[in-house]
Amino acid sequence: MDLDFSPDDRAFRDEVRALIADAFPPGLSYDDSREHRKMWRLAMASRGWSLNKWPVRFGGPGWTPGQNYIWERETTSAGLPPQVPGMGMAMLAPILFGYGSPIQQERFLPDIREDRVVWCQGYSEPGSGSDLASLGTRAVRDGEVYVVDGEKVWTSGAHEADWMFCLTRTSSESRPQAGITFLLIDMKTPGIEVRPIISIDGRHAFNRVTFDGVRVPVENRIGIEGEGWTYAKGLLTHERTGQAFVSLSMTLLARIRDAAAVIPGSGGGTLLEDPGFVSRLTLAEVELEALAMTEMRTLWEVAAGSAPGAQSSMLKLKGTDIVQRMTEFFIECAGPYAAPWLPATDFPKGTPQPDPIGPDWARREIARYFEARAASIAGGTDEIQRNIIAKHVLRL
Ligand SMILES: Cc1cc2nc3c(=O)[nH]c(=O)nc-3n(C[C@H](O)[C@H](O)[C@H](O)COP(=O)(O)OP(=O)(O)OC[C@H]3O[C@@H](n4cnc5c(N)ncnc54)[C@H](O)[C@@H]3O)c2cc1C
């Protein structure tokens, strides 16, 4: 079997590399400034490549899965996002393609495409995380509106969001999966309160969102009342397929090699010459290559019209395992510089902060090590992915 790229794919890869070199010369960092982020967005848009996963009828470039794979790999290894970031693009858009009415598609897709509106995901509730179908935020029909009451939690970015895609309960009469309705809610609607949850690293990403008599027009309902579970599950498979982290792990692997090539190992040579380290790194690389093939296979199947299904759980579970191992290799490379990172808030205001010690990459990668732990929880925990695989793949 020929696993290499075809000549067409290689030509496409050269085109992508040329765009990146042209639009985003080495030395610039995407995360550094708003200006840099805008530059990259405009560069993608100039070629019509920012909508790489969108169907052609909605303006997508009609790439093959192979082209999508190359695009993602090249952009990620250059430290650039492969598409306009955000939940609107990654999660809601596929739901609108499949289940949104033409009016909803017309109303919401252009703002997602142009990155004009920020979306957040209102799924989890206190007591309803893994067991999402038990959610209790109620939406009661009152003429042409739903009146929503309840509470969502862990809502990433709700404090900056303009809109929320939200799961609500419209009926409790039969099994919990029935009676869930998928609503799009304008965050400026009276009755919504967003309260911050500050995480252990001092950052504000999470929120609690409460709804008190929030009136949501019926026209903002996706699909049929009570069928929201079907749409929500579809959205989760898209979320999980995007959580295989293959490109990120490949980028980290290359950086680990660079770092280990100059760090002393136990036998007198560098860490990269240490047989124990290299054999573990190679094993992770082999597993990563296998994961990349599985991801490609899934992308081809999706392109041929099938839904990702339980395969998305396999991708997420294995992808999480590998990306977390990559961050652990960095801890090994950093050695004593992997001491706990102290957030700036630990120092009284006005006190000069001590100079950081060790290489710059060590601090960045230590932060990534902690952040990567969250991948075992977000989008459905590892245990839940195993349950799905046991039931739907192994038929246990
Ligand atoms: C970084 C991050 C971002 C997030 N962003 C959002 C967001 O934007 N919007 C949103 O709605 N939610 C968000 N979440 C919440 C996330 O979806 C939930 O945390 C997740 O679904 C788990 O739910 P829970 O926290 O209630 O844990 P629980 O469901 O209470 O689980 C606790 C533990 O029990 C285990 N467990 C539970 N049930 C089973 C079972 N049947 N079998 C075996 N083990 C089980 C779990 O694996 C876990 O280890 C985010 C979470 C993280 C970490």
Side-chain angles (χ1 to χ4, degrees):
M1 183 167 55
D2 181 10
L3 294 176
D4 205 357
F5 292 125
S6 69
D8 280 354
D9 282 343
R10 280 199 291 274
F12 175 72
R13 186 177 58 189
D14 292 343
E15 230 185 305
V16 171
R17 285 182 180 170
L19 174 83
I20 293 172
D22 226 36
F24 219 82
L28 292 189
S29 164
Y30 174 83
D31 294 317
D32 263 3
S33 74
R34 240 183 129 131
E35 203 43 44
H36 289 175
R37 291 194 281 276
K38 192 170 164 199
M39 258 170 66
W40 177 237
R41 268 210 314 274
L42 291 176
M44 286 194 289
S46 71
R47 302 292 293 267
W49 288 358
S50 45
L51 306 177
N52 50 82
K53 291 198 178 125
W54 285 33
V56 175
R57 71 194 161 101
F58 290 107
W63 283 345
T64 62
Q67 285 175 307
N68 260 311
Y69 179 82
I70 289 167
W71 170 252
E72 196 169 313
R73 203 153 155 179
E74 294 298 324
T75 48
T76 311
S77 64
L80 298 165
Q83 59 182 5
V84 173
M87 295 186 183
M89 181 64 102
M91 296 189 225
L92 181 62
I95 297 304
L96 287 169
F97 301 146
Y99 306 106
S101 68
I103 293 174
Q104 288 168 338
Q105 291 168 348
E106 184 94 350
R107 179 170 172 206
F108 294 111
L109 287 173
D111 282 339
I112 293 177
R113 193 176 55 218
E114 303 301 327
D115 195 22
R116 286 193 292 250
V117 163
V118 176
W119 286 86
C120 65
Q121 178 185 35
Y123 274 29
S124 308
E125 296 182 4
S128 297
S130 302
D131 183 17
L132 189 58
S134 68
L135 64 92
T137 293
R138 295 203 68 82
V140 177
R141 183 85 184 246
D142 177 17
E144 280 314 291
V145 295
Y146 286 101
V147 181
V148 179
D149 287 280
E151 182 172 5
K152 297 286 170 183
V153 75
W154 309 123
T155 324
S156 306
H159 56 301
E160 293 167 335
D162 304 295
W163 283 77
M164 172 190 279
F165 49 91
C166 184
L167 294 182
T168 60
R169 179 158 301 286
T170 39
S171 162
S172 308
E173 271 163 25
S174 64
R175 58 193 193 99
Q177 285 82 355
I180 291 177
T181 296
F182 196 112
L183 295 180
L184 307 180
I185 303 181
D186 185 338
M187 294 294 281
K188 289 185 291 303
T189 319
I192 298 180
E193 191 188 354
V194 178
R195 282 176 294 152
I197 301 175
I198 305 300
S199 41
I200 198 166
D201 58 3
R203 284 194 316 146
H204 174 197
F206 294 130
N207 301 276
R208 260 173 201 274
V209 183
T210 45
F211 301 89
D212 182 8
V214 175
R215 296 175 77 80
V216 180
V218 171
E219 67 197 32
N220 290 2
R221 184 188 70 215
I222 296 284
I224 301 166
E225 181 176 302
E227 295 285 314
W229 186 248
T230 309
Y231 320 139
K233 275 197 310 185
L235 187 147
L236 282 174
T237 60
H238 284 287
E239 185 179 357
R240 288 169 189 159
T241 306
Q243 285 175 327
F245 309 112
V246 170
S247 302
L248 175 62
S249 288
M250 287 188 171
T251 306
L252 293 180
L253 179 69
R255 290 198 200 143
I256 290 162
R257 286 232 163 78
D258 290 346
V262 292
I263 286 167
S266 54
T270 67
L271 190 56
L272 202 55
E273 290 159 342
D274 180 320
F277 182 82
V278 171
S279 79
R280 282 182 292 115
L281 191 64
T282 308
L283 183 61
E285 183 177 4
V286 169
E287 289 179 36
L288 177 57
E289 287 296 340
L291 179 71
M293 290 298 152
T294 310
E295 186 184 50
M296 277 282 265
R297 188 159 47 85
T298 309
L299 290 174
W300 277 106
E301 285 166 10
V302 170
S306 59
Q311 231 158 284
S312 65
S313 295
M314 290 157 61
L315 289 172
K316 181 180 187 261
L317 190 61
K318 195 65 199 171
T320 299
D321 167 45
I322 292 175
V323 81
Q324 289 176 343
R325 272 154 68 193
M326 292 298 165
T327 65
E328 285 158 19
F329 284 121
F330 262 121
I331 298 280
E332 236 178 301
C333 290
Y337 300 124
W341 170 73
L342 297 173
T345 46
D346 274 356
F347 299 96
K349 255 203 169 116
T351 319
Q353 293 186 21
D355 283 338
I357 52 165
D360 278 352
W361 62 258
R363 260 162 293 127
R364 194 181 55 234
E365 296 306 337
I366 297 322
R368 200 197 302 273
Y369 166 82
F370 287 115
E371 200 183 331
R373 308 299 107 187
S376 290
I377 303 171
T381 66
D382 285 358
E383 289 78 13
I384 294 306
Q385 306 317 313
R386 289 196 185 95
N387 284 351
I388 293 171
I389 294 165
K391 195 166 164 195
H392 297 284
V393 181
L394 304 174
R395 307 274 169 211
L396 296 174

